[in-house]
Amino acid sequence: MASTSTHGASSTSSNPRSYDVFLSFSGGDTRKNFTDHLYTTLVTHGIHTFRDDEELEKGGDIAADLSRAIEESRIFIIIFSKNYAYSRWCLNELLKIIECMTQKESMVVPIFYHVPPSDVRNQSGSFDDAFTFHEKDADQKKKGMVEKWRIALTKAANISGWHVENQYESEVIGQIIKTILRKLGKLGPTHLYVGKNIVGMDYHFGQLKALINIELNDVRIIGICGIGGIGKTTIAKAIYNKISCKFEGSSFLADVREQSKDNAGLLRLQNQLLDDTLAGTYKKKSSSIHEATHEIRDKLRLKRVLVILDDVDGRGQLDYLAGECEWFGSGSRIIITTRHKDLVAIYGANKSYEPRKLNDEEAIKLFSLYAFKQDVPREDYKNLCENAVKYAQGLPLALAVLGSTLSSKRGIREWESELRTLEKEPNREIYNVLRTSFDGLSRVEGEIFLDIACFFKGKDRDFVSRILDDAEGEISNLCERCLITILDNKIYMHDLIQQMGWEVVREKCQNEPGKQSRLWDLDDVSSVLTRNAGTKAIEGLFMDMSAQQEIQFTTETFAKMNKLRLLKIHQDAKYDHIMEIDGDVHFPQVALPEDLKLPSFELRYLHWDEYSLKHLPPNFHPKNLVELNLQCSNIEQLWEGNMRLKKLKVINLNHSQHLVEFPSFSMMPNLEILTLEGCISLERLPMDIDKLQHLQTLSCHDCSKLEHFPEIKYTMKNLKKLDLYGTAIGKLPSSSIEHLEGLEYLNLAHCENLVILPESICNLRFLKFLNVNACSKLHRLMESLESLQCLEELYLGWLYCELPTLSGLSSLRVLHLNGSCITPRVIRSHEFLSSLEELSLSDCNVMETRVLDHIFCLSSLKELDLSNCSLMVGGIPNDIYHLSSLQALDLSGTNIPYVPTSISHLSKLKFLGLGHCKQLQGSLNLPSSVRFLDGHDSFKSLSWQRWLWGFLFSCFKSEIQV
């Protein structure tokens, strides 16, 4: 048998895939026409092709060298023609091909040359005639072979291919060639180098698969967004390698940001896009970006293409490279990698994907691959690896760079030295990648980024925006550029991005912190303040006194800082800890000179815990002040005389126990938040409080000498929160309450002198929270409380007056009546308490069984506290099972004789409190959902002991804790 290939006959080879393509055909039908044209085109395109030149039928068997050629081929093109099935040689060849397809997952391309695919699939038409010929006088062995041929034909015909009937054969051959080239990876740059140490890619594939969804025939734009070094380009390359073969054309345009800095670079990218997607057939080179834009739109509008634009940072790049979906054919996918999430949104992307940081396991694996050339750390380096991984914070670039850097270090001491250095100075390779994002910011955005990096990481977004001159737009832009993230309305940034910001500030004045624009490092701050080395360059200074030995402030400490915008001398950690423990704040105060100078006209934010002076300095210029925080200060009066503070929005003087007088509110017309908690010497507020038309929060919590609340003459529609807890006020002026139209929170708890509440409270349409706990002198409550249809939380505990009807509060979620007298009128119906989730009747005196009737029908109730509640004989009624949502039931300290068996129907019950129920008898039939049971001092009798042992035994089989 003579055979030819693009490299001549071949009978042996050490390569298991010696041939790209194997042609199977009937020589008499197609050797000198279609097959010859196809073979010639394959060879022209550099495709290594095997073609059998002569059909030497030796009893129908395939010669050994031909069998080997089939085994050594990657793709099989089977040309089914009218007489194909008459050839036993062709049919045996087909059997071998189908066997390779099954075992080696080889690709089979069927071509139905002037025969319907159904004739091949069903062996009808000319194929039926051929099989009639084969089955004539066939013995049993041959019949078995005929059946195998039929199965092979059916399998081959079920594969998608080409039906050549009335088309131009050259067009069909062109399509076949493109398919083969794509499969072989010879059509465009179909394989990009991704790197040898890849971790976590399967996760990214899984997330992107649904977004890309190549099965759909629409045109999709997908954005991959994230900070520098997160792996966007690597992910895009891997995706390209995985799916580019499924498109008619594909192009990966790398480093778009760098390459398109001028029109010449942008034009090169446009021509590359055309050349890649048109498989080298686009010979024309456009001479302008406008001409190239037209060419892209014209040439690709009917082609299904994959285009990846890597590292895009400007809308103009998108406009000229992939302006609209209509530029591309159905099924096309455009993938954009960028640090700017807003670009993807503006461009109209269907979906965007933000790669997550590597988790600890993935991070250690990637770091180890670079540091040790294995996927786990060496045993003696484990702790150091953990430190390196902690520094990198899951950023793939940082892990790779650190691993490579440390791999060249000799011994543990050099590793330790390198890691210590990184705490003070960032790795330059990592820094340069991250610095690119900063360099792309506007001047204002850059300044705000540096303020956040140095001072406001982890702080409330609204607070930061307010302090930085209503910087909401800039904060949004930083978020869109992946430099910060917003979580629970707090601003966060990656530690390495923060370190990059620090380095930007420091690099302008190395070793001279007094000339930096911002001071946040404790050592630098201490050095500057101790040596009076501050200069006019300083715009922000934050110092945590709780972590610093005492510093002596002099008159001149801040004298040269005449551009100071942000000043915070604080003890946040200590303040938060003390408040959490007992709420009583006492700090040792640092003595300040009476003639302290704060000369800056630019000051926007002043926060000074334990400020020791009785007034602010006489040379203080609050013209631009936005927030003043002097908690735990020695302030008696903020300043003497009148100062106009048009920009002031927040004042916090909490726990300033010597404050006796507050300046006129008319001098601060834009004030939004005023908190005076714990100002125990303050006896009155200025009477012109209604001048504060922007006030949202007023807290006089625990101002124990405050006896009068000002009369409000004008509507204050913006006031949402009023906290008068623990004050000495005797009454609230009815007219004042009427003017608080937008009030949502009113706290009057522990106002022990409060005698009466105005009925006007019931007109507060938006009130959600009302607390009048422990107002011991209160004569009566408003009868029309039910009109508060927005009320969600109500606290009426430890009151000696009669409680009104509460059944009409349809929005109420939390109701506490602890220690008060409960009569049947309080909850007359359960139907209008459909939202109630938490009810506390602890220490209540329940004298009538009817009181509980409606309570035990509250199907929405999740928590019910009846501890120390006096219950009549009979205790808990059987219809407790109506509490179908109940999760916690506390009956501790009650005189109940038994727990009804119907409690077993409470399928969501997790906590049951029965401590100190000394009259409890019988046994308990608890639902299996119970996880916590408090029976302290209740289970003392012998019968209870027996029940308890049985119960404890069952606990070993469940998760119940006793």
Side-chain angles (χ1 to χ4, degrees):
M1 181 191 75
S3 63
T4 63
S5 75
T6 56
H7 290 223
S10 176
S11 59
T12 61
S13 173
S14 60
N15 186 346
R17 294 296 179 102
S18 297
Y19 299 101
D20 294 326
V21 171
F22 183 98
L23 290 177
S24 176
F25 60 96
S26 172
D29 289 341
T30 65
R31 177 184 285 115
K32 295 181 179 180
N33 43 55
F34 183 83
T35 298
D36 186 58
H37 298 154
L38 176 59
Y39 173 77
T40 302
T41 309
L42 286 166
V43 172
T44 301
H45 281 82
I47 299 172
H48 194 185
T49 306
F50 185 97
R51 177 180 65 173
D52 177 23
D53 278 347
E54 297 181 21
E55 289 187 0
L56 302 178
E57 299 194 22
K58 302 175 182 177
D61 294 331
I62 303 177
D65 53 353
L66 185 59
S67 178
R68 188 160 42 249
I70 293 174
E71 292 175 354
E72 295 174 0
S73 297
R74 298 176 62 185
I75 300 173
F76 302 100
I77 299 178
I78 307 170
I79 304 168
F80 293 115
S81 56
K82 184 177 181 180
N83 294 307
Y84 184 91
Y86 278 99
S87 170
R88 288 177 294 169
W89 182 276
C90 288
L91 293 172
N92 285 329
E93 197 171 74
L94 177 64
L95 281 177
K96 185 67 177 177
I97 288 171
I98 296 299
E99 177 187 331
C100 288
M101 179 187 77
T102 304
Q103 294 179 355
K104 299 184 179 182
E105 297 184 350
S106 301
M107 180 180 180
V108 173
V109 180
I111 299 170
F112 305 96
Y113 189 74
H114 295 292
V115 296
S118 60
D119 283 2
V120 181
R121 185 181 301 111
N122 303 319
Q123 295 89 60
S124 56
S126 63
F127 279 69
D128 181 40
D129 296 340
F131 273 85
T132 299
F133 169 76
H134 289 309
E135 290 171 342
K136 185 178 179 181
D137 300 327
D139 57 16
Q140 195 63 33
K141 181 179 179 181
K142 187 173 182 181
K143 286 180 180 179
M145 182 58 70
V146 168
E147 184 59 28
K148 290 181 180 179
W149 292 339
R150 286 185 182 275
I151 293 171
L153 283 168
T154 299
K155 284 184 178 180
N158 281 329
I159 300 170
S160 178
W162 278 267
H163 182 196
V164 182
E165 192 64 48
N166 297 315
Q167 309 98 311
Y168 289 107
E169 292 185 2
S170 60
E171 291 183 359
V172 177
I173 289 173
Q175 294 172 12
I176 296 170
I177 293 300
K178 288 180 182 178
T179 299
I180 301 304
L181 286 170
R182 192 172 296 113
K183 179 64 178 177
L184 295 172
K186 297 183 179 182
L187 184 60
T190 54
H191 190 81
L192 304 172
Y193 179 70
V194 175
K196 58 182 179 178
N197 298 329
I198 302 300
V199 173
M201 195 57 66
D202 288 343
Y203 174 83
H204 298 307
F205 282 153
Q207 296 296 306
L208 282 163
K209 184 178 180 180
L211 301 183
I212 297 173
N213 201 347
I214 60 176
E215 306 303 324
L216 296 182
N217 210 31
D218 58 347
V219 177
R220 289 200 166 195
I221 302 168
I222 297 97
I224 302 177
C225 313
I227 62 174
I230 197 66
K232 302 181 297 295
T233 299
T234 302
I235 293 168
K237 285 181 177 179
I239 288 289
Y240 183 87
N241 289 341
K242 193 175 186 71
I243 68 172
S244 60
C245 63
K246 299 180 181 181
F247 294 83
E248 294 178 50
S250 57
S251 178
F252 186 100
L253 300 182
D255 301 318
V256 171
R257 173 177 53 84
E258 284 295 323
Q259 293 196 55
S260 61
K261 288 186 174 180
D262 53 31
N263 284 351
L266 188 56
L267 180 61
R268 283 193 297 272
L269 288 173
Q270 289 178 310
N271 282 320
Q272 181 187 336
L273 173 59
L274 286 164
D275 191 54
D276 289 349
T277 52
L278 298 175
T281 61
Y282 181 73
K283 303 302 180 185
K284 175 184 176 182
K285 296 294 181 184
S286 298
S287 57
S288 74
I289 56 174
H290 304 292
E291 179 187 355
T293 301
H294 174 77
E295 288 290 296
I296 293 170
R297 186 169 48 203
D298 184 59
K299 294 292 191 297
L300 302 184
R301 61 189 176 87
L302 297 178
K303 290 182 69 69
R304 185 174 188 266
V305 296
L306 170 67
V307 177
I308 296 184
L309 307 177
D310 177 49
D311 197 15
V312 173
D313 75 339
R315 186 171 180 178
Q317 298 156 2
L318 297 174
D319 289 341
Y320 287 109
L321 292 171
E324 299 175 6
C325 290
E326 289 73 18
W327 289 17
F328 307 98
S330 298
S332 294
R333 296 292 181 267
I334 315 301
I335 299 176
I336 303 163
T337 75
T338 180
R339 304 182 188 199
H340 303 183
K341 286 189 286 189
D342 55 331
L343 274 180
V344 176
I346 292 171
Y347 188 51
N350 300 79
K351 299 286 183 180
S352 64
Y353 172 62
E354 192 166 350
R356 62 167 174 79
K357 298 186 296 184
L358 296 181
N359 60 39
D360 290 344
E361 182 181 348
E362 293 168 334
I364 289 213
K365 181 177 180 181
L366 181 61
F367 176 80
S368 299
L369 286 168
Y370 281 95
F372 306 111
K373 305 300 184 286
Q374 60 188 40
D375 60 7
V376 293
R378 283 171 44 184
E379 189 64 32
D380 49 341
Y381 282 80
K382 275 189 174 181
N383 290 337
L384 290 171
C385 287
E386 289 175 2
N387 292 338
V389 166
K390 183 178 180 181
Y391 171 82
Q393 290 286 300
L395 194 68
L397 169 72
L399 291 161
V401 170
L402 287 181
S404 297
T405 301
L406 292 170
S407 69
S408 63
K409 302 299 178 183
R410 298 177 180 177
I412 289 176
R413 287 189 177 181
E414 288 195 19
W415 273 54
E416 292 173 338
S417 175
E418 182 69 22
L419 291 173
R420 280 196 299 270
T421 300
L422 289 174
E423 292 177 1
K424 300 178 180 179
E425 183 178 345
N427 176 280
R428 299 316 292 182
E429 185 177 348
I430 299 171
Y431 171 76
N432 290 335
V433 171
L434 298 178
R435 173 69 190 253
T436 301
S437 295
F438 174 79
D439 291 338
L441 300 175
S442 69
R443 183 189 64 81
V444 174
E445 289 170 346
E447 293 297 317
I448 289 171
F449 168 78
L450 294 178
D451 283 340
I452 293 173
C454 296
F455 304 130
F456 298 123
K457 179 181 174 183
K459 301 302 180 183
D460 180 79
R461 176 179 185 162
D462 298 331
F463 160 73
V464 176
S465 175
R466 182 173 62 237
I467 295 301
L468 301 182
D469 199 13
D470 296 324
E472 188 59 36
E474 288 79 9
I475 290 173
S476 294
N477 288 343
L478 294 176
C479 189
E480 294 296 336
R481 296 188 177 215
C482 303
L483 285 167
I484 64 174
T485 56
I486 308 295
L487 183 62
D488 295 331
N489 208 49
K490 287 183 168 52
I491 298 177
Y492 296 97
M493 64 171 56
H494 194 284
D495 287 353
L496 293 179
I497 289 183
Q498 182 181 39
Q499 192 181 36
M500 177 268 289
W502 293 346
E503 187 65 16
V504 170
V505 173
R506 283 173 169 151
E507 66 184 1
K508 295 179 180 178
C509 42
Q510 294 288 351
N511 302 320
E512 292 186 89
K515 294 182 178 181
Q516 291 179 192
S517 63
R518 295 160 180 84
L519 289 172
W520 66 94
D521 180 80
L522 191 56
D523 292 338
D524 289 343
V525 173
S526 299
S527 173
V528 170
L529 296 185
T530 301
R531 296 184 294 111
N532 280 343
T535 68
K536 64 180 181 180
I538 298 174
E539 298 178 27
L541 185 153
F542 279 37
M543 182 178 187
D544 185 357
M545 294 291 289
S546 63
Q548 171 62 35
Q549 294 181 352
E550 184 174 316
I551 287 182
Q552 295 298 322
F553 291 94
T554 69
T555 301
E556 302 298 321
T557 297
F558 302 100
K560 297 177 183 178
M561 303 181 196
N562 54 22
K563 291 185 179 179
L564 195 63
R565 295 181 294 115
L566 312 167
L567 175 61
K568 183 174 182 179
I569 310 294
H570 65 100
Q571 300 211 36
D572 285 353
K574 186 182 292 184
Y575 176 83
D576 292 343
H577 176 70
I578 293 176
M579 288 300 294
E580 183 179 340
I581 298 301
D582 57 16
D584 191 14
V585 182
H586 298 285
F587 292 147
Q589 294 181 334
V590 178
L592 298 174
E594 292 290 337
D595 55 351
L596 179 72
K597 295 180 181 179
L598 274 177
S600 176
F601 282 86
E602 306 300 324
L603 200 61
R604 296 184 58 82
Y605 176 55
L606 174 58
H607 179 146
W608 198 316
D609 291 342
E610 309 173 19
Y611 181 78
S612 65
L613 300 179
K614 297 179 180 180
H615 307 88
L616 286 167
N619 65 339
F620 177 63
H621 304 292
K623 176 183 177 182
N624 289 303
L625 195 65
V626 175
E627 178 161 335
L628 175 64
N629 187 330
L630 299 177
Q631 61 187 12
C632 307
S633 72
N634 233 10
I635 283 281
E636 294 181 2
Q637 183 180 355
L638 285 174
W639 47 73
E640 294 182 356
N642 293 328
M643 286 190 180
R644 187 76 172 171
L645 296 97
K646 296 177 69 174
K647 294 185 178 181
L648 188 62
K649 294 184 178 181
V650 178
I651 296 179
N652 179 352
L653 299 177
N654 290 349
H655 306 289
S656 295
Q657 299 181 356
H658 302 285
L659 182 70
V660 294
E661 186 176 351
F662 198 86
S664 171
F665 288 130
S666 62
M667 295 293 101
M668 48 193 81
N670 294 305
L671 194 68
E672 296 177 359
I673 300 173
L674 174 59
T675 60
L676 304 169
E677 297 179 11
C679 294
I680 57 176
S681 299
L682 187 66
E683 297 182 0
R684 61 187 177 88
L685 293 172
M687 299 304 292
D688 57 352
I689 190 171
D690 47 19
K691 300 292 185 183
L692 300 178
Q693 287 300 303
H694 299 281
L695 191 66
Q696 299 171 15
T697 297
L698 172 60
S699 178
C700 298
H701 193 103
D702 276 333
C703 291
S704 55
K705 288 187 179 180
L706 185 66
E707 296 182 350
H708 302 285
F709 187 78
E711 184 173 350
I712 298 172
K713 300 177 181 179
Y714 306 104
T715 299
M716 296 181 68
K717 62 181 180 181
N718 290 310
L719 188 63
K720 300 290 189 293
K721 179 177 180 178
L722 177 58
D723 189 347
L724 299 174
Y725 178 106
T727 60
I729 60 172
K731 69 174 183 176
L732 281 176
S734 180
S735 59
S736 295
I737 297 300
E738 286 178 355
H739 288 108
L740 304 181
E741 293 181 355
L743 197 66
E744 297 178 1
Y745 179 104
L746 178 58
N747 191 351
L748 300 169
H750 293 272
C751 290
E752 297 178 357
N753 293 333
L754 191 63
V755 176
I756 190 169
L757 290 176
E759 285 289 334
S760 55
I761 287 179
C762 298
N763 297 326
L764 298 174
R765 294 179 299 140
F766 302 105
L767 195 66
K768 296 179 179 179
F769 178 101
L770 177 61
N771 188 348
V772 291
N773 275 349
C775 293
S776 55
K777 294 182 180 179
L778 199 62
H779 291 165
R780 65 181 179 85
L781 287 168
M782 307 77 67
E783 282 297 323
S784 51
L785 266 179
E786 289 180 300
S787 63
L788 296 173
Q789 289 302 297
C790 288
L791 198 64
E792 296 179 0
E793 296 186 44
L794 178 59
Y795 300 84
L796 302 175
W798 311 106
L799 298 178
Y800 300 115
C801 59
E802 185 177 2
L803 301 185
T805 296
L806 306 175
S807 296
L809 298 171
S810 58
S811 298
L812 200 64
R813 294 186 299 103
V814 177
L815 176 59
H816 284 209
L817 305 175
N818 306 349
S820 294
C821 185
I822 311 300
T823 61
R825 71 188 294 260
V826 177
I827 301 179
R828 292 186 301 189
S829 170
H830 65 277
E831 295 179 359
F832 298 104
L833 290 173
S834 57
S835 300
L836 195 62
E837 297 179 356
E838 180 182 328
L839 175 61
S840 180
L841 302 178
S842 175
D843 295 291
C844 286
N845 186 17
V846 179
M847 298 305 297
E848 297 184 47
T849 308
R850 289 183 300 154
V851 171
L852 302 178
D853 288 349
H854 297 298
I855 292 175
F856 288 105
C857 292
L858 295 169
S859 60
S860 62
L861 204 62
K862 294 181 179 179
E863 297 181 30
L864 177 58
D865 185 357
L866 296 173
S867 60
N868 300 312
C869 184
S870 63
L871 296 171
M872 292 184 61
V873 176
I876 305 299
N878 270 315
D879 54 5
I880 190 174
Y881 67 86
H882 289 302
L883 300 177
S884 55
S885 301
L886 199 64
Q887 298 177 11
L889 175 60
D890 194 349
L891 300 172
S892 301
T894 60
N895 56 3
I896 57 171
Y898 66 92
V899 176
T901 57
S902 58
I903 197 173
S904 63
H905 297 293
L906 300 180
S907 60
K908 296 181 180 179
L909 191 66
K910 295 181 179 178
F911 170 83
L912 178 60
L914 294 173
H916 303 284
C917 293
K918 297 183 178 181
Q919 298 185 36
L920 193 62
Q921 301 173 14
S923 61
L924 297 177
N925 187 13
L926 300 181
S928 59
S929 58
V930 172
R931 293 291 176 269
F932 301 93
L933 174 63
D934 177 12
H936 184 72
D937 203 29
S938 296
F939 303 144
K940 291 187 174 181
S941 69
L942 183 60
S943 60
W944 272 121
Q945 294 292 324
R946 290 171 179 167
W947 175 87
L948 186 59
W949 278 110
F951 174 72
L952 288 173
F953 179 76
S954 67
C955 287
F956 286 107
K957 300 180 180 179
S958 69
E959 300 176 10
I960 300 177
Q961 298 182 27
V962 182

